[in-house]
Amino acid sequence: MVKSHILLVENEESVASFISTELSFEDYEVKIACDGEDALEAFHADENKWDLILLDWMLPKLDGLEVCRRIRKKSLVPIIIITARDQVGDKIAGLDGGADDYMTKPFEIEELLARVRVALRHKKELERQSERHVYHVDDLTVDMEKRSVQRGGKIFHLTQREFDLLAALARNAGKVLTRDQLLSEVWGYNFMGQTNIVDVYIRYLRNKIDRRQEASLIQTIRGVGYTLDTPEDEG
């Protein structure tokens, strides 16, 4: 069985040693980086190697949020931020900065291990689904392998989260998905925040792919959720 490779970025030696030991007990291959620059160097040494990154925010030389943003420009590897910063604004900044999950210190190691398993499971599922699937809804094309989106011949550049949300809707085109279903499929774990995060990202998508278009493909089903479908002609 191929082991999953985890890059652990943590500047507190005792914390890094503890987490690394627990991950090793679970049969993961772990490499530790102690500051932001070391993290980027380890990541760029073999970008395709990493299955998951555990990333502290408060790092020397380069903070974790900046590390997250730089990695996200190159890779869709799952990133879990682990930090003592527990304000709502910090969590929003971390998730909007490209993190897939956010844990505040102190935490129970069992919960971290559970979130690691979920992130890795979600990564494998996305890889399976991206095996040359191209979805077409009206004049919209979503290419899972290339992770590209076109509508009416125009290419749209989406963030990772926006693309994953659109892909979930495209895979289920014509079906209504509830907010809870979208949270589970796109965010990949039991999101502890409010479900209106889905509404926020739906708005982001609409501003990109539906704006200035004759037909709005992302439709709201009041009291239920959202669907991606060709609007019925009126009259």
Side-chain angles (χ1 to χ4, degrees):
M1 182 178 179
V2 179
K3 293 185 177 182
S4 295
H5 291 79
I6 297 176
L7 177 59
L8 171 60
V9 189
E10 170 60 65
N11 66 303
E12 292 186 39
E13 185 176 349
S14 60
V15 175
S17 177
F18 172 66
I19 295 176
S20 177
T21 299
E22 293 294 328
L23 290 170
S24 297
F25 284 154
E26 298 295 318
D27 213 25
Y28 298 121
E29 289 284 349
V30 183
K31 178 177 177 59
I32 299 174
C34 59
D35 61 54
E37 291 182 358
D38 283 347
L40 289 177
E41 183 178 346
F43 169 73
H44 289 304
D46 190 351
E47 295 180 8
N48 295 320
K49 173 182 179 179
W50 305 110
D51 297 297
L52 176 69
I53 297 176
L54 297 177
L55 179 63
D56 189 15
W57 187 325
M58 306 299 290
L59 295 170
K61 298 184 180 179
L62 199 65
D63 71 61
L65 186 58
E66 181 60 27
V67 171
C68 181
R69 288 170 176 159
R70 294 190 187 186
I71 289 176
R72 192 53 77 223
K73 291 179 180 179
K74 297 281 188 177
S75 171
L76 297 172
V77 59
I79 298 174
I80 300 177
I81 288 180
I82 47 177
T83 178
R85 301 178 67 134
D86 60 358
Q87 298 299 307
V88 173
D90 294 328
K91 295 178 182 179
I92 292 173
L95 294 170
D96 282 348
D100 297 275
D101 200 352
Y102 191 106
M103 287 193 68
T104 55
K105 300 177 181 177
F107 52 80
E108 296 293 335
I109 190 63
E110 290 81 5
E111 182 181 359
L112 176 61
L113 293 175
R115 295 199 186 198
V116 166
R117 289 192 294 270
V118 169
L120 292 173
R121 192 162 62 241
H122 187 52
K123 177 177 181 288
K124 289 179 181 179
E125 177 64 16
L126 289 177
E127 289 173 347
R128 184 188 66 80
Q129 294 171 350
S130 66
E131 294 176 354
R132 199 53 198 174
H133 288 308
V134 180
Y135 297 96
H136 300 279
V137 181
D138 199 63
D139 59 345
L140 174 71
T141 300
V142 181
D143 189 315
M144 296 296 292
E145 182 179 12
K146 296 180 179 178
R147 292 187 72 86
S148 66
V149 176
Q150 295 187 48
R151 185 173 185 193
K154 179 180 179 181
I155 297 174
F156 293 89
H157 300 285
L158 306 183
T159 66
Q160 177 195 1
R161 192 75 71 188
E162 290 168 351
F163 182 88
D164 289 346
L165 179 56
L166 182 61
L169 291 168
R171 283 193 298 269
N172 297 277
K175 300 178 182 178
V176 180
L177 299 180
T178 67
R179 290 172 178 82
D180 286 339
Q181 287 175 315
L182 289 169
L183 279 173
S184 177
E185 185 165 348
V186 177
W187 275 257
Y189 60 95
N190 292 324
F191 188 67
M192 301 303 293
Q194 297 181 354
T195 57
N196 66 0
I197 190 70
V198 174
D199 304 321
V200 172
Y201 277 86
I202 287 289
R203 185 168 67 250
Y204 292 162
L205 280 178
R206 280 177 168 155
N207 284 338
K208 291 184 177 181
I209 69 170
D210 274 346
R211 191 177 182 184
R212 299 190 180 94
Q213 300 290 333
E214 293 183 5
S216 295
L217 299 180
I218 302 175
Q219 302 175 36
T220 302
I221 309 302
R222 294 191 178 279
V224 184
Y226 298 97
T227 184
L228 186 69
D229 203 358
T230 303
E232 295 181 2
D233 293 333
E234 296 182 358

